[in-house]
Amino acid sequence: MTIKGSCLCSAVRYEINSELGNAMFCHCKICRKSNGSAFALNAAVNTSDFKLLEGENSLSSYASSEDARRYFCENCGSPIYSKRLSMPEVLRLRVGTLDDDIDIEKGSSTLGVEFAP
């Protein structure tokens, strides 16, 4: 199974050569701010299954904590994925960047103390 995705301006394009892991709604302050929304819908992807097709020069990152980096298109600002330094084998894909229609199974919802009102 190959799943394709891209940023809003299509400068960054990728494919995933596996099924997505369970989706997770995250309502933490960092996810809300980085997505400009009440939550982020993320799905786990093995780093080895993720392939950047175009836009390596357009993909930028920001260290949102000591352990995490968030990758986004520097042209249009679309968040693509995040990655923890402590878990380099897994990335958290922003499901909204998928181009293909897929069935997503919700795995969990992370609310925490910073839950949006």
Side-chain angles (χ1 to χ4, degrees):
M1 167 181 235
T2 300
I3 304 167
K4 295 190 181 220
S6 62
C7 65
L8 180 62
C9 71
S10 297
V12 176
R13 293 180 47 248
Y14 64 84
E15 70 180 16
I16 299 164
N17 293 307
S18 68
E19 292 186 16
L20 297 180
N22 284 346
M24 180 182 82
F25 291 102
C26 185
H27 303 267
C28 79
K29 183 178 182 178
I30 294 172
C31 280
R32 291 193 329 259
K33 287 189 174 278
S34 69
N35 285 279
S37 181
F39 60 87
L41 179 56
N42 308 317
V45 174
N46 289 329
T47 303
S48 60
D49 294 329
F50 181 88
K51 180 179 179 185
L52 195 59
L53 300 174
E54 287 183 32
E56 185 174 349
N57 293 334
S58 296
L59 196 63
S60 193
S61 70
Y62 170 73
S64 57
S65 71
E66 289 184 19
D67 189 41
R69 292 200 75 81
R70 294 172 181 275
Y71 294 81
F72 59 93
C73 174
E74 64 182 26
N75 298 316
C76 66
S78 292
I80 307 297
Y81 64 88
S82 64
K83 201 170 184 183
R84 290 182 183 258
L85 300 175
S86 61
M87 295 177 57
E89 69 281 359
V90 176
L91 58 85
R92 297 284 177 195
L93 181 76
R94 300 306 179 258
V95 174
T97 63
L98 294 174
D99 293 334
D100 296 334
D101 292 332
I102 61 166
D103 289 327
I104 298 173
E105 183 174 325
K106 180 181 173 247
S108 64
S109 186
T110 303
L111 303 178
V113 295
E114 300 173 349
F115 179 63

